[in-house]
Amino acid sequence: MVKITDVARHAGVSPSTVSYVLSGKRTISQDTRLRVQASIRTLGYRPHAGARALASRRTQVLALVAPLRSGVNVPVIMQFAASVVTTARGFDHDILLLTQEEGEAGLHRVAESALVDGLVVMDVQLHDARLPLLQSLGQPAVLIGLPADPTGLTCVDLDFSAAGALCVDHLASLGHRGIELIGSPPQVYQRQSGYAARLAEGFRCAAGRHGLHARVHPCQDCPEAAQSLVRRLLTERPGLSALVVHNESVLRPVLSALADTGRSVPQDVSVVAICPDDQAEQAPVPLTSVTVPAEEVGRQAVELLMAKLDGRQVRSTTLLAPRLTVRRSTAAGARVLA
Amino acid sequence: MVKITDVARHAGVSPSTVSYVLSGKRTISQDTRLRVQASIRTLGYRPHAGARALASRRTQVLALVAPLRSGVNVPVIMQFAASVVTTARGFDHDILLLTQEEGEAGLHRVAESALVDGLVVMDVQLHDARLPLLQSLGQPAVLIGLPADPTGLTCVDLDFSAAGALCVDHLASLGHRGIELIGSPPQVYQRQSGYAARLAEGFRCAAGRHGLHARVHPCQDCPEAAQSLVRRLLTERPGLSALVVHNESVLRPVLSALADTGRSVPQDVSVVAICPDDQAEQAPVPLTSVTVPAEEVGRQAVELLMAKLDGRQVRSTTLLAPRLTVRRSTAAGARVLA
DNA sequence: TTGAAAGCGCTAACAC
DNA sequence: GTGTTAGCGCTTTCAA
């Protein structure tokens, strides 16, 4: 194994000089720097991570706590994770992967054994049991999600409330007078993840502002539930003209059910989806949609964490503005046409 | 920060005794051991990971190289990852997450800076560019997947060839005389991941043994491609009675296409899927299926890696036997009924 | 602009 | 069965 003393000898300098060339914490003459860098390359030197961590009290590793088992939303979780890893690498940090299931024990472990410099915690619930611990751990942390009381924490998430409102605004501007929201499974609302409720709240508020008829319908993650829900809605309100779908896994069945009952999109019914862009694009009729910007959420989380590690102050809550992409599933409602 | 000397003083022993209580590498009297353990608990002591790594040359961390961006198969990737993390924790190890994209540079980095004790590399291709590096790295590694030449490596995977054969055996035993395989997208065969080709090979061999008519049809990951493929097959062979589907993302469309053309499953057409069990169970007709045992593959990978870290010899290739679960999508073919 | 040297907290060889 | 102590490889004062 090549060590710093080997490099120092090879370059004819002291170990500390090699260290400073690497860290840039001291000005080094051009000449010395080039010589040291050449030696590093020649010998193939890499600092020993453990030794570095011991001496500098920095590991260059961040923990990512992810819900690896939650059947739902797996693709989105992966997008977060990919974005977190990539962004962290851009800051010369690595990612240690912890599962949600390890719970508070895992947080204690990695923080207290100085395995990591900071934590990114995904899937934070409204009243998450880990919040007090995260406050007291003495390790900088960033949460993905928005707890009921974010005081003293750093949180990043999509502004789901604004997303709900955005869907309504778009449909209202097209002249629709009534909108039904097909939402997440009932458990998701109960689990108090917050995002489903926040979207529903933004949806309802915006509908109120526009004076629209609007209802929220939780829906199980299976095609059959979606189809029967759509049929029921069409029976109750044969003139139904606008649907917002906030449950990726039932998108296709919802569209099939509309087709089966003789409704065409967007001529008879306009549909807005909250889902990843690729799903919206691949639907039979490309869907007007609001996407969960997983890549951006992951990136911001790491950037905020790096800022905290640098001792910078950061805002407590970062809500990313939703963007609605108009595709071919929404069109003018009856009143506008009339 | 509580350190080992604090614990030693508190328990009235030397630091090395505390270390040996923790590692179990030396016999300690019952009395001393209990006293030290009590002090550890009282003071809330955790060994400093960096110091430990420096002194012992072991980090208790394994690297997991995962294809975080590959749109396809995301749920299976997550199952692997979850299983790897959980199993590793059972051996008191953590997981450092690397992306496929970092490529060989990432492997160099974590191995040479002594960040990890070993590597689990997912999604290994037939002629993977990383293989020579993995051989020369001097770090134990286990691959998930099966390269063309596994000599000197340690590999774990589902026995896809046996899986293909198993599907054929099952359908043949039901009296079917012709079987069509709806496979992965053409890119997957070209990318030489191996598994798609191995399944097709097992499928063809078994069909040959049984003297069956059998063909393999690559299929794009979109519903439209699946539907048109099914329609074409039914046109070419109106008597088609058995289908094997090795492409999770088109399962539903395939079933819809059968329904649309008036075929019922399993009365007219038997269907075997290679897919996760939950998907097979949730289909309109619960599907007879062969599952990718992601949990078991991940577990075995870590167990093999731990064995190598202990200096034990392990076999080069571990192919997990497929298991076929009979559900309601397969039934006797024409000849048997006649 | 650079060097010397004192740790960082732990493990394991050596001594008893 | 237990203690003493010399490192592990690096960073960072302190000194020049």
Side-chain angles (χ1 to χ4, degrees), chain A residues 244-260:
Chain A
V244 174
V245 184
H246 184 205
N247 183 335
E248 295 156 36
S249 45
V250 302
L251 255 180
R252 295 279 175 153
V254 164
L255 298 175
S256 309
L258 289 173
D260 292 351

Side-chain angles (χ1 to χ4, degrees), chain B:
Chain B
M1 186 209 185
V2 184
K3 35 196 179 187
I4 202 168
T5 51
D6 300 326
V7 177
R9 196 173 326 112
H10 186 270
V13 298
S14 73
S16 62
T17 297
V18 177
S19 175
Y20 284 120
V21 166
L22 248 19
S23 70
K25 291 188 180 174
R26 178 192 233 181
T27 48
I28 303 280
S29 73
Q30 166 93 340
D31 179 52
T32 308
R33 183 157 19 85
L34 293 176
R35 208 146 28 89
V36 169
Q37 284 164 345
S39 297
I40 288 174
R41 262 193 306 277
T42 307
L43 301 180
Y45 169 68
R46 303 251 189 194
H48 185 286
R52 183 172 258 193
L54 181 55
S56 70
R57 316 182 138 269
R58 279 296 205 103
T59 63
Q60 307 285 106
V61 176
L62 308 176
L64 172 65
V65 185
L68 294 183
R69 301 233 178 255
S70 81
V72 209
N73 269 12
V74 165
V76 178
I77 305 272
M78 284 277 281
Q79 284 182 55
F80 278 132
S83 166
V84 166
V85 172
T86 306
T87 308
R89 285 302 311 139
F91 287 100
D92 198 27
H93 282 246
D94 271 289
I95 293 297
L96 198 82
L97 183 62
L98 304 187
T99 65
Q100 205 86 289
E101 288 76 47
E102 259 209 276
E104 311 182 39
L107 300 179
H108 264 119
R109 187 166 51 79
V110 298
E112 289 164 14
S113 63
L115 247 181
V116 303
D117 297 333
L119 306 144
V120 175
V121 182
M122 294 180 59
D123 199 34
V124 171
Q125 312 285 299
L126 278 183
H127 301 282
D128 203 295
R130 299 165 295 184
L131 297 181
L133 177 55
L134 286 168
Q135 305 258 28
S136 67
L137 221 43
Q139 285 249 0
V142 173
L143 317 188
I144 293 180
L146 188 58
D149 176 16
T151 310
L153 300 167
T154 305
C155 311
V156 187
D157 206 352
L158 170 65
D159 188 339
F160 278 94
S161 176
L166 193 54
C167 297
V168 172
D169 292 346
H170 173 67
L171 290 167
S173 77
L174 289 171
H176 294 276
R177 306 302 304 153
I179 310 177
E180 310 287 339
L181 169 62
I182 297 183
S184 304
Q187 309 87 284
V188 175
Y189 290 90
Q190 286 157 20
R191 204 175 49 189
Q192 305 255 308
S193 282
Y195 71 91
R198 278 151 54 209
L199 186 117
E201 175 232 311
F203 172 87
R204 285 203 190 88
C205 285
R209 275 202 305 280
H210 292 284
L212 304 186
H213 167 98
R215 292 183 305 175
V216 176
H217 312 276
C219 178
Q220 288 292 356
D221 273 337
C222 68
E224 294 69 25
Q227 303 215 333
S228 75
L229 173 57
V230 170
R231 292 224 171 78
R232 184 163 63 76
L233 294 178
L234 289 170
T235 309
E236 291 173 16
R237 294 187 47 225
L240 186 159
S241 77
L243 231 41
V244 173
V245 183
H246 183 207
N247 182 336
E248 297 155 35
S249 45
V250 301
L251 256 180
R252 294 278 175 152
V254 164
L255 298 174
S256 310
L258 289 172
D260 291 352
T261 51
R263 263 72 170 188
S264 50
V265 174
Q267 291 79 1
D268 300 315
V269 179
S270 286
V271 175
V272 179
I274 291 98
C275 75
D277 279 326
D278 56 347
Q279 263 197 58
E281 282 158 9
Q282 283 163 24
V285 175
L287 300 171
T288 295
S289 74
V290 172
T291 188
V292 175
E295 193 280 332
E296 193 184 347
V297 173
R299 185 164 44 70
Q300 289 252 11
V302 173
E303 286 174 358
L304 287 165
L305 189 50
M306 296 312 303
K308 293 180 87 169
L309 283 170
D310 288 352
R312 280 179 272 150
Q313 285 292 326
V314 301
R315 61 196 168 289
S316 170
T317 299
T318 302
L319 290 182
L320 301 179
R323 270 167 316 196
L324 181 142
T325 302
V326 178
R327 296 198 181 80
R328 308 225 315 272
S329 65
T330 50
R335 293 290 165 93
V336 170
L337 290 175

